[in-house]
Amino acid sequence: MQRSLRPRLAAVVLCAVLLAACGGPSTVPPAEVPVPGGSESAPESTEPEPPEPPAPEPQPWDDMTLPEGCDAAWSVSAEGGLILTRYDTGSRADAALPQGRPYQIAAECLAGNRTLQSIVIPAEVTAVGAGAFANCTALRSVRFEGTLPQLPARCFTGCGALEEVVLPQGLTCLGMQAFSGCSRLNTVQLPAALREIGQAAFEACTSLSALTFPETLESIGAAAFRNTRLQAVELPLELKQLGAGAFAENPVLEQVVFRGSPQAGTALFSECTQLQQILLPAAWTALPEGTFSGCAALKTLDLPAALRIIGPQAFAESGLEQIFLPEGVTEIGELAFGGCAHLAVVCLPGSLQTVGELAFSGCPLQTVWYTGTDWQGLLARCQPGNEALEKAELRAGRPPLG
């Protein structure tokens, strides 16, 4: 029994006709594809904006004031203190250091600067490192405005144009070679609190002609004033230590006065060719080696009564014409008077026990005064090279005054 399909097909056709008559469902047009280069704007990106970089952390040196044209580099010490590690003054001939808060100047911070001619070091500076201003060859003037307890080693060494320095108040220690080689330095006022002048501090300052030592000074290092042009030196009462060659090789030094009795090193005044007058410490018991060697203008000298030993070469090749050794001297070192080409008269004490080798070699002795009683015994104790004592006329006692 098969049903006919005609009635169903007719029904479907009728439904389609009715839908078309009613307008039917609308067809959605496809989206238009934008044409490259067209006027239509591109859709906005959906990616998030990158975050802004964080603001730099504040640094301890942010509030420091620098002169125009200068540039600085800083660091912080383990204790939290500020340190100026590099300072570029550009083409400036004069400059002040940074100001704003206390800080230290690192070692060799400005060393080798070729343009800087004058500099002011402000009160904010609490310490200066070794060689901080070394070899600043154009630097002429330095002024410290604050208080510093010490200037370190080589602070201004090799500043050949430096003429004037105003040192900080409160300075107690001037380091070794602090101004060595400052050949034009002619004006220095040492602070009243100064206690120590280091080794070679003013060595080869060949324009330094005058200096007043403060009463507080206790120590002058070896070669501290070697090859300067000091004309006169008065050493203070409190001076306790005087290093080897402290005033050696000064071609114009004429006068030296000791007000105290410091321990002294060797060759203190060697090659001071114009030295003529010297007042030695009354308490000195020994003249160190080479003390007056090469002092060509030194013709005579009053030796302290406490003297016991005359060291080797103490007067070698000096200008002595006569010398009277005080009673109590027991020893004359080798070459002590060697090469004294004008030494004609000498007085030897009876206390003398030892005469070193060549002690009077090259001396044209004419008269020897002797206060002892055993002249032949003394000659027997003399080391070789003292034939001048035997050839001279021997006289007993001491020479008359005047």
Side-chain angles (χ1 to χ4, degrees):
M1 293 184 58
Q2 222 176 7
R3 290 187 182 182
S4 174
L5 295 177
R6 264 173 215 245
R8 292 186 182 183
L9 183 58
V12 172
V13 171
L14 178 62
C15 288
V17 172
L18 288 173
L19 285 172
C22 293
S26 59
T27 304
V28 180
E32 294 182 4
V33 179
V35 180
S39 60
E40 302 248 354
S41 60
E44 295 184 3
S45 172
T46 59
E47 294 183 4
E49 292 281 341
E52 292 186 5
E57 293 184 7
Q59 299 294 336
W61 51 81
D62 288 343
D63 55 353
M64 300 299 289
T65 302
L66 274 66
E68 184 178 353
C70 296
D71 183 49
W74 303 88
S75 67
V76 178
S77 69
E79 295 78 20
L82 194 57
I83 302 174
L84 179 63
T85 58
R86 181 187 57 80
Y87 193 56
D88 185 358
T89 59
S91 60
R92 291 182 64 115
D94 62 312
L97 287 172
Q99 295 177 287
R101 58 173 294 186
Y103 64 94
Q104 301 177 25
I105 299 176
E108 301 184 358
C109 179
L110 285 93
N113 187 300
R114 303 282 191 236
T115 60
L116 192 61
Q117 296 183 19
S118 66
I119 192 165
V120 176
I121 301 172
E124 284 90 339
V125 174
T126 60
V128 179
F133 301 91
N135 301 313
C136 292
T137 53
L139 188 61
R140 296 181 181 177
S141 173
V142 175
R143 186 173 83 251
F144 287 84
E145 291 187 331
T147 299
L148 284 176
Q150 64 178 5
L151 283 185
R154 307 181 308 280
C155 191
F156 294 95
T157 188
C159 294
L162 186 61
E163 297 176 355
E164 182 179 3
V165 174
V166 178
L167 292 172
Q169 294 302 310
L171 186 70
T172 61
C173 178
L174 196 58
M176 62 182 293
Q177 298 180 315
F179 294 95
S180 64
C182 295
S183 56
R184 295 186 184 179
L185 183 62
N186 55 59
T187 303
V188 178
Q189 184 173 354
L190 299 178
L194 189 65
R195 295 183 178 278
E196 180 182 352
I197 297 175
Q199 177 180 334
F202 293 92
E203 184 179 18
C205 290
T206 52
S207 296
L208 188 61
S209 59
L211 199 63
T212 299
F213 294 104
E215 293 298 323
T216 55
L217 190 63
E218 297 178 354
S219 175
I220 296 176
F225 295 93
R226 183 166 62 188
N227 191 21
T228 63
R229 295 299 183 272
L230 295 175
Q231 298 179 15
V233 170
E234 183 173 348
L235 297 169
L237 182 64
E238 297 301 318
L239 188 66
K240 297 178 174 60
Q241 190 71 39
L242 195 54
F247 295 93
E249 299 176 31
N250 184 329
V252 299
L253 182 63
E254 296 181 357
Q255 183 178 5
V256 176
V257 174
F258 284 84
R259 293 174 55 201
S261 296
Q263 293 184 355
T266 61
L268 280 181
F269 304 101
S270 68
E271 303 301 327
C272 291
T273 54
Q274 295 300 314
L275 183 60
Q276 301 176 32
Q277 301 177 36
I278 183 162
L279 180 60
L280 291 173
W284 268 12
T285 59
L287 276 183
E289 179 178 352
T291 300
F292 298 105
S293 62
C295 293
L298 187 65
K299 300 184 182 305
T300 189
L301 180 66
D302 291 332
L303 298 174
L307 193 66
R308 298 295 179 263
I309 298 173
I310 297 177
Q313 302 182 57
F315 295 94
E317 298 183 356
S318 69
L320 284 179
E321 296 177 352
Q322 59 181 17
I323 189 73
F324 305 150
L325 307 190
E327 200 66 42
V329 170
T330 61
E331 180 181 339
I332 298 175
E334 64 180 25
L335 285 167
F337 299 93
C340 291
H342 304 284
L343 184 57
V345 179
V346 62
C347 179
L348 302 180
S351 56
L352 186 61
Q353 298 297 313
T354 303
V355 179
E357 187 173 358
L358 301 170
F360 291 92
S361 64
C363 298
L365 291 178
Q366 298 177 11
T367 305
V368 174
W369 294 81
Y370 182 57
T371 63
T373 57
D374 187 9
W375 176 245
Q376 293 302 319
L378 176 60
L379 290 179
R381 294 192 298 273
C382 287
Q383 297 297 314
N386 291 294
E387 292 79 8
L389 292 177
E390 299 181 54
K391 296 177 180 179
E393 177 187 0
L394 178 65
R395 293 188 181 184
R398 299 189 68 85
L401 295 176

